[in-house]
């Protein structure tokens, strides 16, 4: 296909960069927007920046990377400026408009692709993806099913295990089970898993609610913390291994996904890669890329990453996180909208694999368009 075929008169495509959002990762998403707005190839793309406030208002934002740059003094945020961005009201056209505070409605253009750089619930979990599907707007990344499965660690593990991929031994405990039969669950954990265990909410990110319980005495507190974040939680055997990550880039229709070189999370000075290590205590964690792994280990991780990507039906992009222990690789989780600031692991892994950040953005948009066109041809 030729990428310019469906473009506007100037030969450019129009991309909505969608950021902010209702989840706790609102500010990280804004920082990512700064990176994308700065790096996106302006000779190929016209950009419509759309911010989602914490309350869920869709507002037209200024096309200004500076405004959203991560500054420890003032974390970036989308605030309600009175505008409202309106998606097409039918799948028959792709005109996105803005309603100004005075009620005036102005068309913003015919949108070719939406790039949702949203993390967590109401962004990475299939909800926004479903909304875009309804009005037939092509978008970067996974569709409804893979997004919602990837958001939930329990269902992710179930699908990965069904595809024959190794995952951490563990069990999923529902809030109501824990209230009714905690004693039986405690006994099972001791017998089937042994301590220490990791306890984590099924649908949280950034290590929020994750803790390590070194024995039965610490389990109740770990369960309380995790159940405050979600109604079902995973209790997993502690895996003693390195944390290795692979960035997967989805393919054009009919082609196979591609895997990057490996990155590694090196934690020293923290007990594990917890919230503080991720965002507060920058000295405790180092992202190494490329990771020091053998050629055989890299090939194996890349193969497993693509198998995990396909097992969940991912599209566009995903970061597949592994533990490497004495028995080999085991998949910890699949992130369908991984951290995407220029210094995040996903872009860094592709940079080290020969695809710099601006070209990575172009590739993601081109892949999304190619897949949307193939789907449309198939439906016709
Ligand atoms: N079974 C386990 N054994 C050893 N360490 C674990 C285990 N599960 C989680 N951890 C540690 O806890 C950290 C956070 O857990 P995990 O990656 O599963 O959730 P998350 O980081 O909250 O999710 P996300 O990466 O989507 O933000 C991991 O990076 C790892 O350091
Ligand atoms: Mg993680």
């Amino acid at each position: 296909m030729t990428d310019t075929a469906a473009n506007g008169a100037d030969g450019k495509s129009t991309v909505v960069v969608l950021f902010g959002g209702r989840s706790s990762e609102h500010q990280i998403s804004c920082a990512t927007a700064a990176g994308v707005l700065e790096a996106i190839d302006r000779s190929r793309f016209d950009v419509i920046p759309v911010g989602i406030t914490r309350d869920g208002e869709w507002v037209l934002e200024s096309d200004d990377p500076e405004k959203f740059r991560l500054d420890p003094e003032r974390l970036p945020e989308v605030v309600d400026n009175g505008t409202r961005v309106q998606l097409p009201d039918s799948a028959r056209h792709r005109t996105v408009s803005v309603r100004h505070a005075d009620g005036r409605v102005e068309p913003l253009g015919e949108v070719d692709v939406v790039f949702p750089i949203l993390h967590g619930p109401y962004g990475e979990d299939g909800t926004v993806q479903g909304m875009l599907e309804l009005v037939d707007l092509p978008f970067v990344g996974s569709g409804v099913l893979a997004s919602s499965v990837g958001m939930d660690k329990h269902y992710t593990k179930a699908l990965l295990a069904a595809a024959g991929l190794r995952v951490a031994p563990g069990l999923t405990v529902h809030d109501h089970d824990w209230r009714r039969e905690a004693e039986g669950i405690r006994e099972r954990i001791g017998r089937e898993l042994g301590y220490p265990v990791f306890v984590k909410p099924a649908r949280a990110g950034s290590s929020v609610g994750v803790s390590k319980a070194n024995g039965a005495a610490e389990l109740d507190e770990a369960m309380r913390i995790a159940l405050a974040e979600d109604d079902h939680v995973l209790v997993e055997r502690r895996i003693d291994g390195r944390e290795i990550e692979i960035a997967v880039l989805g393919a054009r229709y009919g082609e196979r996904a591609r895997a990057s070189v490996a990155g590694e999370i090196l934690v020293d000075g923290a007990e594990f890669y917890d919230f503080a290590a991720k965002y507060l205590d920058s000295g405790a964690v180092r992202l190494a890329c490329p990771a020091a792994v053998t050629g055989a280990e890299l090939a194996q991780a890349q193969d497993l990453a693509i198998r995990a990507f396909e097992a969940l039906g991912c599209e566009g992009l995903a970061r597949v996180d592994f533990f490497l222990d004495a028995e080999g690789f085991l998949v910890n989780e699949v992130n369908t909208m991984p951290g995407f600031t220029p210094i995040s692991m996903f872009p860094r892994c592709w940079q080290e694999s020969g695809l710099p950040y601006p070209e990575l953005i172009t590739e993601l948009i081109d892949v999304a368009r190619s897949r949307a066109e193939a789907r449309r041809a198939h439906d016709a």
Side-chain angles (χ1 to χ4, degrees):
M1 77 148 224
T2 57
D3 292 312
T4 44
N7 296 345
D10 59 357
K12 290 192 193 177
S13 325
T14 301
V15 178
V16 165
V17 174
L18 188 59
F19 61 97
R22 292 172 58 194
S23 86
S24 59
E25 288 157 289
H26 179 99
Q27 291 165 324
I28 301 297
S29 167
C30 293
T32 303
V36 171
L37 291 177
E38 185 164 84
I40 190 167
D41 183 351
R42 303 282 177 163
S43 74
R44 287 206 46 199
F45 305 113
D46 287 323
V47 176
I48 304 175
V50 176
I52 305 177
T53 68
R54 291 180 190 278
D55 292 329
E57 286 114 1
W58 289 42
V59 303
L60 181 63
E61 266 297 350
S62 44
D63 192 352
D64 176 13
E66 280 309 318
K67 183 171 173 190
F68 299 104
R69 208 176 297 289
L70 198 53
D71 170 357
E73 305 284 291
R74 187 190 52 86
L75 290 169
E77 189 169 6
V78 176
V79 292
D80 187 3
N81 58 16
T83 62
R84 290 293 178 272
V85 172
Q86 300 174 331
L87 290 180
D89 56 8
S90 134
R92 288 174 180 279
H93 71 91
R94 292 200 196 154
T95 304
V96 167
S97 329
V98 60
R99 194 183 73 233
H100 293 283
D102 61 8
R104 207 163 30 91
V105 174
E106 180 195 352
L108 294 170
E110 292 252 318
V111 170
D112 295 294
V113 181
V114 177
F115 191 168
I117 46 174
L118 300 159
H119 306 290
Y122 313 112
E124 189 180 349
D125 62 350
T127 50
V128 163
Q129 290 74 12
M131 189 166 171
L132 297 172
E133 291 277 2
L134 280 174
V135 291
D136 212 10
L137 282 183
F139 56 90
V140 170
S142 287
V144 174
L145 182 77
S147 298
S148 52
V149 170
M151 190 76 237
D152 187 306
K153 292 179 166 71
H154 169 74
Y155 293 102
T156 298
K157 282 178 77 175
L159 280 191
L160 294 175
L165 295 157
R166 188 176 156 231
V167 295
L171 46 105
T172 300
V173 180
H174 281 264
D175 187 28
H176 51 84
D177 295 331
W178 183 246
R179 266 185 280 134
R180 243 180 287 149
E181 40 174 323
E183 197 40 52
I185 295 168
R186 277 191 208 102
E187 194 270 324
R188 252 190 90 186
I189 290 169
R191 182 163 39 86
E192 292 176 20
L193 302 176
Y195 289 94
V197 290
F198 269 81
V199 181
K200 39 197 201 183
R203 291 168 295 187
S206 303
S207 302
V208 173
V210 177
S211 47
K212 182 173 155 203
N214 291 301
E218 289 174 19
L219 182 67
D220 286 16
E221 179 64 1
M223 291 296 287
R224 193 187 59 74
I225 292 168
L227 283 170
E229 302 295 327
D230 201 350
D231 65 0
H232 59 298
V233 307
L234 280 74
V235 182
E236 285 182 348
R237 181 177 295 162
R238 191 273 308 264
I239 304 299
D240 190 9
R242 296 165 65 186
E243 294 193 55
I244 302 287
E245 309 189 339
I246 298 277
V248 180
L249 200 47
R252 285 169 179 70
Y253 186 75
E255 293 173 7
R256 194 136 197 244
R258 294 150 285 173
S260 71
V261 300
E264 179 167 12
I265 310 291
L266 295 161
V267 185
D268 35 37
E271 201 173 6
F272 65 97
Y273 194 23
D274 61 6
F275 182 83
K278 273 180 191 173
Y279 297 114
L280 306 177
D281 184 0
S282 55
V285 164
R286 225 158 26 86
L287 306 188
C289 187
V293 290
T294 66
E297 283 169 340
L298 175 61
Q300 205 192 354
Q302 290 176 324
D303 175 59
L304 291 169
I306 290 174
R307 282 171 58 195
F309 189 89
E310 290 174 347
L312 264 57
C314 292
E315 290 177 71
L317 74 166
R319 199 190 68 224
V320 182
D321 297 351
F322 296 93
F323 291 115
L324 173 58
D325 70 2
E327 288 170 54
F329 288 100
L330 160 164
V331 183
N332 177 37
E333 57 167 342
V334 177
N335 294 283
T336 55
M337 188 55 222
F340 199 80
T341 69
I343 57 162
S344 300
M345 188 63 105
F346 187 96
R348 277 188 58 190
C349 283
W350 278 108
Q351 169 83 42
E352 291 296 326
S353 306
L355 198 60
Y357 192 59
E359 281 141 60
L360 175 63
I361 295 168
T362 298
E363 181 65 9
L364 284 167
I365 295 169
D366 285 349
V367 165
R369 290 193 62 185
S370 153
R371 295 186 72 86
E373 274 164 36
R375 203 167 289 140
R376 206 162 289 129
H378 178 266
D379 290 348

